[in-house]
Amino acid sequence: MAHEAQKTIARGSLLIRSLPDQHVDTLLNHAVWRRYERGETLFLQEEKAQAIHVVINGWVKLYRMAPTGAEAVVSVFTRGESFGEAVALRNMPYPVSAEAVSACEVMHIPSQVFVSLMKEDPEIGISILASTFTHLHSLVAQLEQLKAQTGAQRVAEFLLSLCDAEDGGCEVTLPYDKMLIAGRLGMKPESLSRAFSRLKSAGVSVKRNHAEIDDIEALRDYAESDPADNWSKS
């Protein structure tokens, strides 16, 4: 049984807050609430999708295994973010696997509950489309970063996303291990280490799982600068 604090986080997620108010309690009451330990599997690639998932706390990664056995990180989700909408509603197999990369809590909403409500109120379908579009926009942004930014700039963007301020100095905690950070940013671990070294000139120092940023605005300028300028400084 979920506590009110968990339901409050769920209500604040993009998926739930975009739904018509009269259906929110129905969905939350039918949801399954589970806690996972780090490294625990939520589902595996090719399993039949039967639920839509919302992260309440912690971090979850989606990844694919190549025929060679190499792991490709597709995305990483945290508090208030949802995934699995499209395949669950179409009763399709998962194209990815999901794993907890930290201790986490996840809300699972059975897809048949969503389908039943959609038949009663088509407006729910619009809410699902809005959530799916957000995922698409995120993937397009990742693709743009891979093609238009250096590795160090991608790391700078990642660090900026962890900051809780808009300017001045900031210290952030890396939310998961550097191997996963590298995978999420489309880099090899050794390339990530080189990127951290290059960011020293932008006022970033990294010690274990902490990064200290001297000037957020300066780091943002670095991330948004012409990649050709950064390549010439490498």
Side-chain angles (χ1 to χ4, degrees):
M1 183 70 67
H3 296 295
E4 284 307 311
Q6 294 171 308
K7 289 186 176 181
T8 297
I9 295 171
R11 286 189 176 95
S13 67
L14 173 64
L15 174 64
I16 301 300
R17 72 171 183 262
S18 62
L19 295 172
D21 292 339
Q22 65 268 28
H23 301 305
V24 171
D25 284 337
T26 300
L27 288 172
L28 295 183
N29 290 334
H30 282 85
V32 176
W33 307 75
R34 279 202 57 188
R35 181 172 179 81
Y36 297 88
E37 298 302 322
R38 178 180 177 183
E40 194 171 351
T41 297
L42 281 69
F43 55 78
L44 292 172
Q45 186 174 328
E46 301 304 331
E47 280 185 7
K48 186 177 179 181
Q50 296 181 321
I52 295 171
H53 317 278
V54 179
V55 181
I56 303 302
N57 279 303
W59 295 81
V60 174
K61 73 173 178 180
L62 302 187
Y63 65 96
R64 286 180 61 87
M65 297 302 297
T68 60
E71 178 183 297
V73 178
V74 175
S75 195
V76 183
F77 295 94
T78 190
R79 177 173 173 153
E81 297 179 331
S82 61
F83 55 93
E85 295 92 337
V87 288
L89 293 177
R90 296 185 64 193
N91 205 28
M92 295 176 64
Y94 289 112
V96 295
S97 297
E99 180 184 303
V101 295
S102 71
C104 64
E105 293 177 281
V106 181
M107 178 181 73
H108 308 283
I109 305 173
S111 52
Q112 66 265 27
V113 177
F114 257 108
V115 172
S116 296
L117 288 176
M118 286 172 68
K119 291 177 179 178
E120 296 177 15
D121 186 352
E123 193 174 333
I124 291 180
I126 297 174
S127 301
I128 295 290
L129 283 173
S131 180
T132 303
F133 175 79
T134 299
H135 295 323
L136 177 61
H137 182 76
S138 176
L139 289 172
V140 170
Q142 289 181 43
L143 182 61
E144 182 181 10
Q145 285 184 339
L146 286 171
K147 289 183 172 293
Q149 290 183 312
T150 66
Q153 285 180 299
R154 296 201 297 276
V155 175
E157 290 271 18
F158 175 72
L159 294 177
L160 288 167
S161 73
L162 300 175
C163 292
D164 56 6
E166 292 296 319
D167 51 32
C170 181
E171 182 176 326
V172 299
T173 300
L174 303 181
Y176 35 83
D177 64 53
K178 293 177 182 177
M179 183 80 74
L180 179 55
I181 293 173
R184 180 184 181 185
L185 299 178
M187 306 167 68
K188 293 181 178 179
E190 57 269 26
S191 300
L192 178 65
S193 296
R194 288 195 294 269
F196 278 136
S197 295
R198 287 171 183 153
L199 288 178
K200 289 179 181 177
S201 63
V204 176
S205 57
V206 178
K207 294 180 180 178
R208 296 186 180 179
N209 66 331
H210 294 276
E212 190 168 324
I213 301 167
D214 292 341
D215 188 328
I216 292 173
E217 289 187 344
L219 186 60
R220 188 176 296 112
D221 288 343
Y222 178 91
E224 296 174 354
S225 63
D226 187 338
D229 295 337
N230 293 308
W231 280 119
S232 65
K233 297 173 185 176
S234 300

